[in-house]
Amino acid sequence: QLQLQESGPGLVKPSETLSLTCTVSGGSISSSTYYWGWIRQPPGKGLEWIGSIWYTGSTYYSPSLRSRVTISVDTSKNQIFLKVASVTAADTAVYYCVRPLKEQIFFYGMDVWGQGTTVTVSS
Amino acid sequence: QSVLTQPPSVSGAPGQRVTISCTGSSSNIGAGYDVHWYQQLPGTAPKLLIYTNNNRPSGVPDRFSGSKSGTSASLAITGLQADDEADYYCQSYDTSLRGVFGTGTKVTVL
C-alpha cells in the first residue's frame, strides 16, 4: 500500500527557507507516471495547492507561490522535496504530500495523502 | 486562494439529507473541469470522497453523491450520521490559478 510521510523542521524563523521532505513507501516514484504534489492548510483555514512534480523533474506551481517555491525529486531515495523561501507567519500551516488519482495529471482528485506535518513560522 | 465558494456551514438531524454547494465560474467548473470532494475529520488529512464529479472511491458509502451543472457542483449526504460531522471541500482546476479548492463547509449533525 502506497504511503507518504512528510518530515522536516516544525519551526522556521521569518525570512528563512522552509524545507520539507516527503518519503514515498510501497511504490516507486520513477516506475509510474503519477505527479506528486504539496498542499497546505493554515490553522483553521482551507486547503491550498502549492505545486506538483513528475519524476522527470517537470513542475507546476501555484501562481501565487511560484516566486518562492521549489519542488524537486530524488528518485534514488524515493523522496520529494519542498522549499519555500522568505517565509512569513502566513506560511504557518500543516503541509501535506499528495498523489492524484489519475496518472499524468498534475492536479486532480488526490487519493493518497500523507499525515501532514505542522510548520510554524515564528522568531 | 479559494475561488470556489461553499456555504460555511450546514446542519441536519440524523437521517436527514443535506447538500453542500460549490460555486465557481467560467474559468473553472464552468469551463468543464472536473470537481472532486473531500471529507476532513478533525485532526486528520482530507479523504477523497467523490472524484470526477460523481464517482465514489472504493469504501465510500453510497450515501454520498456528487453532481455538477454549469458553474456549480453539489455534494449530497443522505441518511446523515453522527460520524459525518466533518469539514468538506470541493476541488477543481482553474485556467488562471490552476489548482483550486473550495472555501470549505462544516457539517453539523444536530
Side-chain angles (χ1 to χ4, degrees), chain A residues 39 41 45-49 59-64 66 96 101-102 106-111 113-116, chain B residues 1-2 34 36 38 40 43-48 51-52 87 89 91-93 96-103:
Chain A
I39 288 169
Q41 185 173 32
K45 296 188 178 180
L47 302 167
E48 180 181 24
W49 174 67
T59 52
Y60 290 91
Y61 296 124
S62 166
S64 65
R66 179 186 291 119
Y96 295 102
L101 178 68
K102 274 193 174 181
F106 71 90
F107 192 73
Y108 208 67
M110 306 296 177
D111 69 331
W113 293 67
Q115 65 184 30
Chain B
Q1 197 166 357
S2 298
D34 292 326
H36 319 282
Y38 298 90
Q40 186 176 31
T44 68
K47 168 191 169 185
L48 185 63
Y51 67 94
T52 319
D87 294 325
Y89 294 93
Q91 174 205 327
S92 188
Y93 182 86
S96 297
L97 302 174
R98 292 184 162 169
V100 290
F101 287 95
T103 49

Side-chain angles (χ1 to χ4, degrees), chain B residues 1 8 13 21 32 35 58-59 61 66 69 75-76 86 94 97 100 110:
Chain B
Q1 197 166 357
S21 60
V35 178
S58 174
S69 178
L75 172 72
D94 186 273
L97 302 174
V100 290
L110 302 172

Side-chain angles (χ1 to χ4, degrees), chain A residues 37-107:
Chain A
W38 290 93
I39 288 169
R40 70 181 183 179
Q41 185 173 32
K45 296 188 178 180
L47 302 167
E48 180 181 24
W49 174 67
I50 299 171
S52 301
I53 189 166
W54 208 11
Y55 74 98
T56 59
S58 173
T59 52
Y60 290 91
Y61 296 124
S62 166
S64 65
L65 294 170
R66 179 186 291 119
S67 63
R68 298 193 296 124
V69 169
T70 303
I71 297 176
S72 57
V73 62
D74 185 334
T75 55
S76 67
K77 294 182 178 180
N78 230 26
Q79 292 178 323
I80 303 117
F81 307 100
L82 170 70
K83 291 187 185 299
V84 182
S86 306
V87 297
T88 69
D91 295 305
T92 294
V94 176
Y95 285 76
Y96 295 102
C97 180
V98 296
R99 194 205 74 176
L101 178 68
K102 274 193 174 181
E103 297 186 64
Q104 301 184 46
I105 302 179
F106 71 90
F107 192 73

